[in-house]
DNA sequence: TCGATTTGACCAGA
DNA sequence: TCTGGTCAAATCGA
């Protein structure tokens, strides 16, 4: 009983953090968009605001990872040890790594590949039999420098509206999330920033005055120059042990370029 | 030229 | 035996 309460509390906490992270992401997009519109007036202020938002984003991501790693850290470490053993025993051969059997740290479904405050490097992609789409594999950009073992998988799970499932494994030990690293530099011409296009309007169909993102394009991460198709708006987050089937049905009413915020 | 991405090969768990 | 996960050479782009 008490355990159930603790579990539900933890889930509520996690949901709140995810909510905060999504809002920070949206705020970041607004900041970037505003800066592009009024470059001269805001050029002295907006970089600080943007930097602050990015730090908030990283903080949310780290908190989520820590929250979800409490019960998986041990198995995750074991997994890493296994991987080291297998690779050290036969380093000269390609692909000599054991399949991951450890539970993911956490998982999120989104219709954009939003920034999570960390620098990722793509190391592979593969088509899986359970999906018509490719799954992309990312590891921390600081894996070699700081032996950071965080990895994530991005799987497209739905065509229209586009929906992506990002699954995180392990947690960042590189500490890079707490400092300003080159991938989140504030030069205005970065691919991530320049790719953002966001605007708000009222929903005339439902008389809803909540903000609506009318169009947005995004790169998966600032560090990435991957050629991605244009994608739209954050939709939801869902933890791995939740019922996953809800993610696709919730958005049937959304048009290609619309999102209704819950706040 | 250097760093990031792509892609085929390889290994091992299921 | 099949398939997911990873490596590393090839390729691409700034």
């Amino acid at each position: 009983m008490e355990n159930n309460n603790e579990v539900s509390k933890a889930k509520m906490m996690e949901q709140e953090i995810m909510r905060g992270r999504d809002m920070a992401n949206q705020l970041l997009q607004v900041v970037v968009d505003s800066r592009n519109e009024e470059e001269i007036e805001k050029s002295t202020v907006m970089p600080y605001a943007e930097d602050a938002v990015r730090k908030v984003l990283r903080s949310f991501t780290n908190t989520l990872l820590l929250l979800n790693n409490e019960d998986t850290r041990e198995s995750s470490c074991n997994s890493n040890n296994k991987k080291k053993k297998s690779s050290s025993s036969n380093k000269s051969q390609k692909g000599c790594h054991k399949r991951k059997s450890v539970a993911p740290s956490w998982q999120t479904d989104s219709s954009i590949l939003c920034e999570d405050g960390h620098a990722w490097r793509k190391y592979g992609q593969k088509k899986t039999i359970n999906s018509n789409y490719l799954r992309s594999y990312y590891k921390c950009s600081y894996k070699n420098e700081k032996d950071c073992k965080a990895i994530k998988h991005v799987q497209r799970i739905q065509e229209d509206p586009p929906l992506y499932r990002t699954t995180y494994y392990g947690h960042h030990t590189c500490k890079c999330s707490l400092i300003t690293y080159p991938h989140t530099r504030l030069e205005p011409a970065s691919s991530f920033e320049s790719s953002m296009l966001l605007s708000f309007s009222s929903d005339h169909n439902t008389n809803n005055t909540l903000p609506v993102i009318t169009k947005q394009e995004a790169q998966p991460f600032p560090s990435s120059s991957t050629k991605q198709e244009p994608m739209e708006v954050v939709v939801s987050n869902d933890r791995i042990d939740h019922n996953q089937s809800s993610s696709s049905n919730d958005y049937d009413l959304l048009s290609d370029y619309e999102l209704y915020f819950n706040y």
Side-chain angles (χ1 to χ4, degrees), chain A residues 144-208:
Chain A
N144 294 331
E145 292 174 39
K146 302 186 179 181
D147 197 31
C148 181
K149 294 180 173 61
I151 63 170
K152 71 169 189 175
H153 301 167
V154 178
Q155 170 83 63
R156 186 168 186 164
I157 57 177
Q158 185 177 299
E159 177 69 42
D160 188 23
L163 192 60
Y164 300 83
R165 177 162 296 159
T166 305
T167 309
Y168 294 83
Y169 297 88
H171 57 97
H172 287 270
T173 58
C174 57
K175 311 280 186 191
C176 61
S177 60
L178 299 176
I179 61 175
T180 301
Y181 46 79
H183 302 89
T184 54
R185 66 193 182 278
L186 298 174
E187 286 94 342
S190 76
S191 60
F192 176 72
E193 292 160 6
S194 61
S195 67
M196 291 295 190
L197 177 60
L198 178 73
S199 63
F200 291 84
S201 65
S202 299
D203 176 20
H204 302 295
N205 295 333
T206 62
N207 294 325
N208 192 338

Side-chain angles (χ1 to χ4, degrees), chain A residues 4 8 69 78 163 193 234 253:
Chain A
N4 286 339
S8 63
N69 268 309
N78 289 340
L163 192 60
E193 292 160 6
V234 174
L253 299 177

Side-chain angles (χ1 to χ4, degrees), chain A residues 125-129 131-135:
Chain A
Q125 65 176 19
K126 210 170 185 76
K127 190 176 186 304
T128 59
I129 58 166
S131 173
N132 295 325
Y133 310 107
L134 290 171
R135 173 183 296 171

Side-chain angles (χ1 to χ4, degrees), chain A residues 63-122:
Chain A
T63 308
L64 280 165
L65 286 170
L66 288 170
L67 187 64
N68 286 285
N69 268 309
E70 285 302 317
D71 52 354
T72 60
R73 187 173 299 160
E74 193 175 347
S75 57
S76 183
C77 291
N78 289 340
S79 163
N80 290 328
N81 289 340
K82 274 186 189 176
K83 276 200 284 185
K84 277 192 174 175
K85 275 184 189 173
S86 64
S87 58
S88 61
S89 63
N90 209 348
K91 273 184 176 174
S92 62
Q93 292 179 308
K94 289 170 72 176
C96 51
H97 290 268
K98 295 186 177 182
R99 186 181 298 182
K100 209 175 289 294
S101 60
V102 62
S105 297
W106 62 292
Q107 178 175 293
T108 175
D109 290 351
S110 172
S111 61
I112 65 166
L113 299 174
C114 58
E115 181 184 7
D116 60 8
H118 288 283
W120 298 95
R121 181 171 188 160
K122 189 175 184 178

Side-chain angles (χ1 to χ4, degrees), chain A residues 22-40:
Chain A
D22 283 350
M23 294 308 294
N25 231 330
Q26 290 155 19
L27 180 58
L28 172 63
Q29 293 162 10
V30 173
V31 166
V32 170
D33 194 44
S34 301
R35 188 185 58 190
N36 290 339
E37 285 178 358
E38 301 175 49
E39 191 75 38
I40 298 172

